Amino acid sequence: MFIGRSSELKFLENKYKTDNGQLIVLYGRRRVGKTETLKKFCEGKPHVFFACRECTDKLQLKSFSEKMMKEDIPAKQYIDQFADWDKAFRAVLDLPYGDRKKLLVVDEFPYMCKDNSSIPSILQNLWDEILKDSNVMIILCGSAMSFIEKEVLAEKNPLYGRATGVYKMEAMNFYEAAEFFPEYSAKDKLTAYSILGGIPHYLKQFDPRQSLADNIKQNIFTKGCTLYSEVEFFLRQELRETSLYNSLLEAVALGNTRLNDISQKSLVEDTSKTSVYLRNLVQLGIVEREFSVDTASKEWGNRNRGIYKLADSFFRFWYAFAFTNYSALESGDAEGVCDFAVMPFIHEFSAFTFEEVCRQYIQELQKASVLPFRYARIGRFFGKTTVRDTQKESGLRVAETEIDILAISAQKKEYLVGECKLKNRPFSYGEYLNTVAKLTPQKEQASFYYALFSESGFDDKVEKEAALDKHIRLFSLEDVVNCRI
């Protein structure tokens, strides 16, 4: 059963229905579900779907020719193979699809270009000469994101400016990923997303009929299963010096977020070298460099600003639990590692993901136009701000702190502060006071609203405050997971 990707399919369908020629570039990291999405899009449409291989240019052209000849084009009466790529791509115009769009999907396009760097130029010439004004749709798909961005989409490259649509596929959000586990409880859906993230290939490995613990044991920790070797396979496919990257990823997974701290923990003495390696991981979508939501864009270039975190949940889980217990897993102790090293800590591990899911929920509320204002920016805040201090007469002091969710209107006249508690006890009144104390100086010039999220409800004082103040809204775990608007 195909799950999710409604936005991607809608985008492709809209392009397909247009009258003029379409050249679409669809790309994203490995395992994100590009091929399955394209196959779903092609259902019910006459098309040619060509999956490129890592092979010589001659073999690639031979395979492409064989694929095209199966479509009963006129050329098959005279030849068995096209002489060159110009003739091969030009044959798209001869596809016998009547008035319907002539659809060609080239999956893993970077493989096609690897042994023949002239292919983008050939496509460009054909596009400018004839294809752009024809009833054709060519989709170029690729996982090598740096190649797509630097060799296809970048200025001064042949296909620059020719694409009529560019779509970068990201991991599924929580609400799409949760569809893989329809019978799970709200808590288990959150935990599964904390472990697997939004990568469809990872989500498919779990059996929704089994418990989380059994899925971890059988589908992550058992030697020979797909996810057991996924991280190592991914790194070896994309990078060299995998042992060094392992050290960096482990350092980030264990909570080291600043460049210097990551260097020290991973024993890479040169921070400039660490910065380069981290940038490679960012390009692959494994690591994310995060800035406080109020950071000006001109500061993003400062390598000492921002913090690093694992953007891929499965990598975060693997380095937090499996990598540190690898010897035990290799010896076959999947049950022991899961029962004693994972399950007692998985709830705390999921707290970070709960914040992310709450942000996604706020985004859904904005789409539904039910927030008190329309925000322009949303994210985490970290830096100096006011905090509560019961020892001071004013009750406040300035300190380094974080805000789980901060949404800000375009004119900075409205702020929404979100606080997320994934704990086995209610959201306390003291925690509420700590939340409303933050950013006190800004309250003189702006309106503040509060969204409080809690797994275990709220104490009586917090509920009374919310009942009396329309600027405060309380949300349960079920509200968030079930996307109650």
Side-chain angles (χ1 to χ4, degrees), residues 15 33 60 82 196 266 319 404 414 459 484:
K15 292 295 183 181
Q60 200 84 259
F82 295 109
L196 301 169
S266 59
Y319 283 98
D404 297 336
E414 294 93 10
D459 73 16
R484 293 174 182 161

Side-chain angles (χ1 to χ4, degrees), residues 412-483:
K412 298 183 180 180
K413 295 294 184 182
E414 294 93 10
Y415 287 74
L416 174 67
V417 176
E419 190 72 20
C420 312
K421 302 294 182 186
L422 193 73
K423 296 181 178 179
N424 295 318
R425 58 174 177 78
F427 198 120
S428 71
Y429 188 65
E431 290 168 333
Y432 161 75
L433 293 176
N434 288 337
T435 301
V436 298
K438 296 173 182 178
L439 301 177
T440 294
Q442 285 88 334
K443 294 177 182 178
E444 296 179 3
Q445 301 175 341
S447 298
F448 270 69
Y449 301 85
Y450 296 90
L452 309 182
F453 303 90
S454 175
E455 174 192 9
S456 304
F458 304 84
D459 73 16
D460 292 342
K461 283 189 175 182
V462 177
E463 290 186 346
K464 288 179 182 178
E465 290 281 352
L468 296 171
D469 190 342
K470 293 182 179 179
H471 285 216
I472 304 169
R473 288 191 65 183
L474 309 182
F475 300 97
S476 67
L477 176 63
E478 285 71 21
D479 290 333
V480 175
V481 170
N482 297 317
C483 199

Side-chain angles (χ1 to χ4, degrees), residues 385-401 427-440 443 461:
T385 183
T386 50
V387 296
R388 194 163 66 103
D389 189 342
T390 56
Q391 303 300 314
K392 283 197 170 187
E393 185 176 342
S394 65
L396 302 170
R397 64 182 173 88
V398 175
E400 290 282 342
T401 191
F427 198 120
S428 71
Y429 188 65
E431 290 168 333
Y432 161 75
L433 293 176
N434 288 337
T435 301
V436 298
K438 296 173 182 178
L439 301 177
T440 294
K443 294 177 182 178
K461 283 189 175 182

